[in-house]
Amino acid sequence: MNRLQGRTAVVTAAAQGIGRGVVERFVAEGAQVWAVDLNADALSELDGVEGVTTAACDVTDAEALAELARRTGPIDALFNGVGFVHVGALLETTAAELDASFRLNVGTAFAATAAFLPGMLEAGSGSIITMSSVQSSIRGFPNRLAYATSKAAIIGFTKSVAADYAARGIRCNAIAPSAVDTPSMRARIDAMPDPERAAADFASRQPVGRMGTPEDIAALAAYLASDESSFTTGSVVVIDGGASS
Ligand SMILES: NC(=O)c1ccc[n+]([C@@H]2O[C@H](COP(=O)([O-])OP(=O)(O)OC[C@H]3O[C@@H](n4cnc5c(N)ncnc54)[C@H](O)[C@@H]3O)[C@@H](O)[C@H]2O)c1
Protein backbone atom coordinates (compact mmCIF):
# COMPACT_ATOMS: atom_id res chain seq x y z
CA MET A 1 0.00 0.00 0.00
CA ASN A 2 0.98 3.65 -0.53
CA ARG A 3 3.02 2.77 -3.60
CA LEU A 4 1.34 5.67 -5.43
CA GLN A 5 1.59 8.25 -2.65
CA GLY A 6 1.97 11.72 -4.13
CA ARG A 7 1.17 10.50 -7.65
CA THR A 8 -1.59 11.66 -9.95
CA ALA A 9 -3.34 9.21 -12.25
CA VAL A 10 -6.00 9.37 -14.95
CA VAL A 11 -8.21 6.29 -15.29
CA THR A 12 -10.55 5.97 -18.28
CA ALA A 13 -13.64 3.73 -18.26
CA ALA A 14 -13.69 4.53 -14.55
CA ALA A 15 -17.42 4.29 -13.85
CA GLN A 16 -17.71 0.50 -13.63
CA GLY A 17 -15.96 -2.83 -13.93
CA ILE A 18 -12.18 -2.95 -14.23
CA GLY A 19 -11.72 0.84 -14.44
CA ARG A 20 -13.74 1.34 -11.25
CA GLY A 21 -11.59 -1.28 -9.53
CA VAL A 22 -8.45 0.51 -10.70
CA VAL A 23 -9.69 3.86 -9.37
CA GLU A 24 -10.36 2.32 -5.96
CA ARG A 25 -7.01 0.53 -5.83
CA PHE A 26 -5.01 3.56 -7.00
CA VAL A 27 -6.67 5.69 -4.30
CA ALA A 28 -5.92 3.00 -1.69
CA GLU A 29 -2.30 3.20 -2.84
CA GLY A 30 -2.26 6.93 -2.12
CA ALA A 31 -2.83 8.40 -5.60
CA GLN A 32 -4.96 11.36 -6.56
CA VAL A 33 -7.14 9.94 -9.32
CA TRP A 34 -9.03 11.59 -12.16
CA ALA A 35 -11.85 9.17 -12.92
CA VAL A 36 -12.99 9.61 -16.53
CA ASP A 37 -16.03 8.06 -18.19
CA LEU A 38 -18.69 8.79 -20.78
CA ASN A 39 -21.47 7.68 -18.42
CA ALA A 40 -21.88 10.70 -16.14
CA ASP A 41 -24.63 9.03 -14.07
CA ALA A 42 -22.59 5.95 -13.19
CA LEU A 43 -19.48 8.08 -12.69
CA SER A 44 -21.29 10.26 -10.16
CA GLU A 45 -21.18 7.30 -7.73
CA LEU A 46 -17.53 8.28 -7.26
CA ASP A 47 -18.35 11.93 -6.50
CA GLY A 48 -17.08 12.86 -3.05
CA VAL A 49 -14.80 9.83 -2.70
CA GLU A 50 -11.58 11.09 -1.13
CA GLY A 51 -8.74 11.21 -3.63
CA VAL A 52 -11.06 11.06 -6.65
CA THR A 53 -12.02 13.81 -9.09
CA THR A 54 -14.64 12.75 -11.60
CA ALA A 55 -14.66 14.03 -15.18
CA ALA A 56 -17.41 13.05 -17.61
CA CYS A 57 -15.68 12.86 -20.98
CA ASP A 58 -15.92 10.93 -24.23
CA VAL A 59 -12.43 9.48 -24.66
CA THR A 60 -12.83 9.42 -28.45
CA ASP A 61 -12.95 13.25 -28.32
CA ALA A 62 -9.40 14.63 -28.66
CA GLU A 63 -10.46 18.21 -27.85
CA ALA A 64 -12.22 17.16 -24.66
CA LEU A 65 -9.09 15.22 -23.66
CA ALA A 66 -6.84 18.21 -24.35
CA GLU A 67 -9.09 20.33 -22.10
CA LEU A 68 -8.95 17.61 -19.43
CA ALA A 69 -5.14 17.49 -19.64
CA ARG A 70 -5.07 21.27 -19.05
CA ARG A 71 -7.19 20.72 -15.92
CA THR A 72 -5.15 17.82 -14.54
CA GLY A 73 -1.70 19.22 -15.31
CA PRO A 74 1.10 16.65 -15.68
CA ILE A 75 0.15 13.18 -14.49
CA ASP A 76 2.23 10.19 -13.40
CA ALA A 77 0.06 7.31 -14.60
CA LEU A 78 -2.54 6.80 -17.32
CA PHE A 79 -4.82 3.76 -17.32
CA ASN A 80 -6.45 3.32 -20.74
CA GLY A 81 -9.51 1.24 -19.89
CA VAL A 82 -12.07 1.96 -22.61
CA GLY A 83 -13.09 -1.07 -24.65
CA PHE A 84 -16.11 -2.66 -26.28
CA VAL A 85 -16.78 -6.30 -27.22
CA HIS A 86 -18.25 -6.79 -30.68
CA VAL A 87 -19.66 -10.30 -31.02
CA GLY A 88 -19.29 -12.10 -34.34
CA ALA A 89 -17.08 -14.17 -36.61
CA LEU A 90 -15.74 -12.64 -39.84
CA LEU A 91 -18.93 -13.28 -41.83
CA GLU A 92 -21.03 -11.62 -39.10
CA THR A 93 -18.81 -8.52 -38.98
CA THR A 94 -19.20 -5.54 -41.28
CA ALA A 95 -16.35 -3.25 -42.24
CA ALA A 96 -18.14 -0.48 -40.34
CA GLU A 97 -18.25 -2.63 -37.19
CA LEU A 98 -14.55 -3.41 -37.52
CA ASP A 99 -13.85 0.33 -37.88
CA ALA A 100 -16.00 1.09 -34.84
CA SER A 101 -14.10 -1.46 -32.75
CA PHE A 102 -10.80 0.11 -33.76
CA ARG A 103 -12.14 3.60 -33.07
CA LEU A 104 -13.19 2.67 -29.57
CA ASN A 105 -10.63 0.06 -28.53
CA VAL A 106 -7.53 1.54 -30.17
CA GLY A 107 -8.59 5.15 -30.89
CA THR A 108 -9.30 5.92 -27.22
CA ALA A 109 -5.88 4.65 -26.10
CA PHE A 110 -4.31 6.69 -28.90
CA ALA A 111 -6.25 9.87 -28.06
CA ALA A 112 -5.75 9.69 -24.28
CA THR A 113 -2.06 8.85 -24.59
CA ALA A 114 -1.59 11.71 -27.06
CA ALA A 115 -3.22 14.09 -24.56
CA PHE A 116 -1.22 13.07 -21.47
CA LEU A 117 2.14 11.94 -22.86
CA PRO A 118 3.53 15.47 -23.44
CA GLY A 119 3.17 16.29 -19.72
CA MET A 120 4.86 13.02 -18.80
CA LEU A 121 7.73 13.75 -21.19
CA GLU A 122 8.16 17.19 -19.67
CA ALA A 123 8.35 15.61 -16.22
CA GLY A 124 10.68 12.88 -17.52
CA SER A 125 8.59 10.01 -16.18
CA GLY A 126 5.24 8.29 -16.55
CA SER A 127 3.55 4.92 -16.68
CA ILE A 128 0.94 4.18 -19.34
CA ILE A 129 -1.18 1.07 -18.99
CA THR A 130 -3.37 -0.28 -21.78
CA MET A 131 -6.11 -2.90 -21.69
CA SER A 132 -5.60 -5.69 -24.17
CA SER A 133 -7.04 -9.18 -23.72
CA VAL A 134 -6.01 -12.78 -24.18
CA GLN A 135 -8.49 -12.53 -27.09
CA SER A 136 -5.90 -10.82 -29.32
CA SER A 137 -2.65 -11.98 -30.89
CA ILE A 138 -2.35 -14.26 -27.83
CA ARG A 139 -5.31 -16.57 -28.58
CA GLY A 140 -8.28 -16.78 -30.88
CA PHE A 141 -11.75 -17.41 -29.44
CA PRO A 142 -15.00 -17.97 -31.36
CA ASN A 143 -17.03 -14.93 -32.44
CA ARG A 144 -14.61 -12.19 -31.44
CA LEU A 145 -13.11 -11.17 -34.81
CA ALA A 146 -13.32 -7.37 -34.42
CA TYR A 147 -12.59 -7.38 -30.70
CA ALA A 148 -9.54 -9.66 -30.90
CA THR A 149 -8.15 -7.83 -33.94
CA SER A 150 -8.38 -4.49 -32.13
CA LYS A 151 -6.95 -5.93 -28.90
CA ALA A 152 -4.01 -7.32 -30.91
CA ALA A 153 -3.51 -3.80 -32.26
CA ILE A 154 -3.36 -2.52 -28.68
CA ILE A 155 -0.35 -4.77 -28.13
CA GLY A 156 1.40 -3.19 -31.13
CA PHE A 157 0.44 0.26 -29.84
CA THR A 158 1.83 -0.54 -26.39
CA LYS A 159 5.13 -1.87 -27.68
CA SER A 160 5.55 1.09 -30.04
CA VAL A 161 4.97 3.67 -27.30
CA ALA A 162 7.36 1.74 -25.05
CA ALA A 163 10.07 1.63 -27.73
CA ASP A 164 9.69 5.28 -28.72
CA TYR A 165 9.75 6.81 -25.24
CA ALA A 166 11.63 4.42 -22.91
CA ALA A 167 14.79 6.50 -23.03
CA ARG A 168 12.78 9.55 -21.89
CA GLY A 169 11.42 7.89 -18.75
CA ILE A 170 8.08 6.67 -20.05
CA ARG A 171 6.90 3.08 -19.60
CA CYS A 172 3.96 1.51 -21.41
CA ASN A 173 2.59 -1.95 -20.64
CA ALA A 174 -0.51 -3.90 -21.62
CA ILE A 175 -2.72 -6.03 -19.40
CA ALA A 176 -4.23 -9.09 -21.09
CA PRO A 177 -6.96 -10.76 -19.03
CA SER A 178 -9.32 -13.58 -19.85
CA ALA A 179 -12.93 -13.33 -18.61
CA VAL A 180 -13.38 -10.75 -15.84
CA ASP A 181 -16.65 -10.46 -13.94
CA THR A 182 -17.78 -6.91 -14.78
CA PRO A 183 -21.17 -5.36 -15.64
CA SER A 184 -20.57 -5.69 -19.38
CA MET A 185 -19.50 -9.33 -18.98
CA ARG A 186 -22.68 -9.95 -16.92
CA ALA A 187 -24.75 -8.32 -19.69
CA ARG A 188 -23.19 -10.64 -22.29
CA ILE A 189 -23.89 -13.65 -20.06
CA ASP A 190 -27.50 -12.54 -19.37
CA ALA A 191 -28.10 -12.15 -23.13
CA MET A 192 -27.35 -15.84 -23.66
CA PRO A 193 -30.17 -18.43 -23.80
CA ASP A 194 -29.08 -20.11 -20.54
CA PRO A 195 -27.25 -17.48 -18.44
CA GLU A 196 -26.51 -19.83 -15.53
CA ARG A 197 -24.83 -22.32 -17.84
CA ALA A 198 -23.02 -19.52 -19.69
CA ALA A 199 -21.62 -18.16 -16.40
CA ALA A 200 -20.38 -21.65 -15.50
CA ASP A 201 -18.84 -22.02 -18.98
CA PHE A 202 -17.03 -18.67 -18.68
CA ALA A 203 -15.73 -19.66 -15.23
CA SER A 204 -14.51 -23.04 -16.46
CA ARG A 205 -12.43 -21.43 -19.24
CA GLN A 206 -9.94 -20.61 -16.50
CA PRO A 207 -8.19 -23.64 -15.00
CA VAL A 208 -8.45 -21.88 -11.60
CA GLY A 209 -12.23 -22.35 -11.96
CA ARG A 210 -13.47 -18.78 -11.81
CA MET A 211 -13.58 -15.54 -13.74
CA GLY A 212 -11.20 -12.77 -12.76
CA THR A 213 -12.40 -9.83 -10.69
CA PRO A 214 -11.79 -6.10 -11.21
CA GLU A 215 -9.69 -6.28 -8.02
CA ASP A 216 -7.41 -8.93 -9.60
CA ILE A 217 -6.74 -6.62 -12.54
CA ALA A 218 -6.45 -3.49 -10.38
CA ALA A 219 -3.70 -5.09 -8.28
CA LEU A 220 -1.66 -5.65 -11.44
CA ALA A 221 -2.40 -2.11 -12.67
CA ALA A 222 -1.17 -0.67 -9.35
CA TYR A 223 2.07 -2.61 -9.71
CA LEU A 224 2.51 -1.37 -13.29
CA ALA A 225 1.80 2.23 -12.25
CA SER A 226 4.26 2.07 -9.36
CA ASP A 227 8.06 2.23 -9.27
CA GLU A 228 8.14 -1.47 -8.37
CA SER A 229 7.78 -2.17 -12.09
CA SER A 230 10.43 0.34 -13.17
CA PHE A 231 12.25 -2.30 -15.28
CA THR A 232 9.03 -3.35 -17.05
CA THR A 233 8.07 -1.72 -20.33
CA GLY A 234 6.67 -2.97 -23.62
CA SER A 235 5.35 -6.00 -21.76
CA VAL A 236 2.04 -7.74 -22.23
CA VAL A 237 1.11 -9.13 -18.84
CA VAL A 238 -1.30 -12.06 -19.15
CA ILE A 239 -3.61 -12.42 -16.14
CA ASP A 240 -6.01 -15.21 -16.95
CA GLY A 241 -6.23 -17.92 -14.28
CA GLY A 242 -4.28 -20.15 -16.62
CA ALA A 243 -6.71 -19.83 -19.56
CA SER A 244 -4.03 -19.39 -22.21
CA SER A 245 -1.45 -21.73 -20.66
N1 LIG B 1 -14.45 -7.88 -18.69
C1 LIG B 1 -13.65 -8.73 -19.33
O1 LIG B 1 -13.86 -9.95 -19.32
C2 LIG B 1 -12.43 -8.21 -20.03
C3 LIG B 1 -11.45 -9.13 -20.44
C4 LIG B 1 -10.33 -8.66 -21.12
C5 LIG B 1 -10.19 -7.32 -21.39
N2 LIG B 1 -11.15 -6.45 -20.98
C6 LIG B 1 -10.98 -5.02 -21.29
O2 LIG B 1 -10.92 -4.29 -20.09
C7 LIG B 1 -11.50 -3.00 -20.27
C8 LIG B 1 -12.63 -2.77 -19.27
O3 LIG B 1 -13.56 -3.81 -19.39
P1 LIG B 1 -14.88 -3.88 -18.48
O4 LIG B 1 -15.50 -5.21 -18.73
O5 LIG B 1 -14.56 -3.44 -17.11
O6 LIG B 1 -15.75 -2.75 -19.21
P2 LIG B 1 -17.26 -2.29 -19.03
O7 LIG B 1 -17.88 -2.43 -20.38
O8 LIG B 1 -17.93 -2.96 -17.87
O9 LIG B 1 -17.08 -0.74 -18.71
C9 LIG B 1 -16.59 0.09 -19.70
C10 LIG B 1 -16.74 1.53 -19.24
O10 LIG B 1 -16.21 2.34 -20.30
C11 LIG B 1 -17.05 3.45 -20.49
N3 LIG B 1 -16.89 3.96 -21.84
C12 LIG B 1 -17.30 3.36 -23.00
N4 LIG B 1 -17.01 4.15 -24.05
C13 LIG B 1 -16.39 5.26 -23.55
C14 LIG B 1 -15.86 6.43 -24.15
N5 LIG B 1 -15.90 6.63 -25.47
N6 LIG B 1 -15.33 7.37 -23.33
C15 LIG B 1 -15.31 7.20 -21.99
N7 LIG B 1 -15.79 6.09 -21.37
C16 LIG B 1 -16.33 5.14 -22.15
C17 LIG B 1 -18.45 2.92 -20.20
O11 LIG B 1 -19.34 3.97 -19.89
C18 LIG B 1 -18.18 1.97 -19.02
O12 LIG B 1 -18.30 2.65 -17.78
C19 LIG B 1 -11.97 -2.97 -21.73
O13 LIG B 1 -10.96 -2.40 -22.54
C20 LIG B 1 -12.14 -4.45 -22.06
O14 LIG B 1 -12.02 -4.70 -23.45
C21 LIG B 1 -12.26 -6.86 -20.29
Side-chain angles (χ1 to χ4, degrees):
M1 290 290 162
N2 287 332
R3 289 176 298 176
L4 302 178
Q5 195 67 47
R7 306 284 168 90
T8 302
V10 166
V11 174
T12 72
Q16 67 177 35
I18 293 170
R20 173 80 175 254
V22 170
V23 171
E24 288 165 359
R25 183 60 190 259
F26 280 14
V27 166
E29 295 279 359
Q32 292 291 321
V33 179
W34 288 78
V36 179
D37 204 286
L38 186 61
N39 185 341
D41 275 355
L43 192 62
S44 69
E45 288 171 24
L46 287 167
D47 282 343
V49 174
E50 202 180 327
V52 178
T53 307
T54 56
C57 174
D58 181 345
V59 181
T60 61
D61 181 343
E63 271 178 35
L65 286 166
E67 172 57 27
L68 182 64
R70 280 191 285 277
R71 285 177 64 203
T72 65
I75 63 166
D76 302 290
L78 170 64
F79 178 84
N80 283 308
V82 177
F84 161 77
V85 180
H86 174 270
V87 176
L90 187 138
L91 294 179
E92 292 94 49
T93 304
T94 65
E97 287 167 336
L98 183 65
D99 278 352
S101 289
F102 268 84
R103 212 166 35 251
L104 204 70
N105 296 350
V106 185
T108 53
F110 176 84
T113 304
F116 293 101
L117 179 60
M120 290 179 170
L121 287 170
E122 226 167 275
S125 68
S127 173
I128 298 160
I129 299 160
T130 59
M131 281 306 302
S132 183
S133 168
V134 291
Q135 306 189 355
S136 60
S137 49
I138 298 168
R139 257 203 74 177
F141 286 80
N143 297 316
R144 292 290 185 273
L145 183 279
Y147 182 69
T149 306
S150 63
K151 289 298 186 182
I154 276 290
I155 292 176
F157 171 87
T158 302
K159 288 180 177 289
S160 298
V161 172
D164 284 334
Y165 299 105
R168 298 174 66 186
I170 309 301
R171 298 184 296 110
C172 186
N173 294 289
I175 296 178
S178 55
V180 182
D181 198 350
T182 65
S184 67
M185 170 58 85
R186 279 287 148 189
R188 286 194 291 284
I189 287 172
D190 289 344
M192 290 178 178
D194 182 348
E196 210 170 307
R197 169 125 194 225
D201 285 350
F202 271 112
S204 69
R205 277 188 190 175
Q206 288 69 228
V208 298
R210 66 170 178 89
M211 287 193 270
T213 63
E215 291 76 19
D216 290 327
I217 311 305
L220 174 56
Y223 167 72
L224 291 172
S226 78
D227 291 343
E228 283 190 335
S229 59
S230 61
F231 197 53
T232 304
T233 195
S235 291
V236 182
V237 186
V238 172
I239 174 166
D240 71 349
S244 62
S245 59

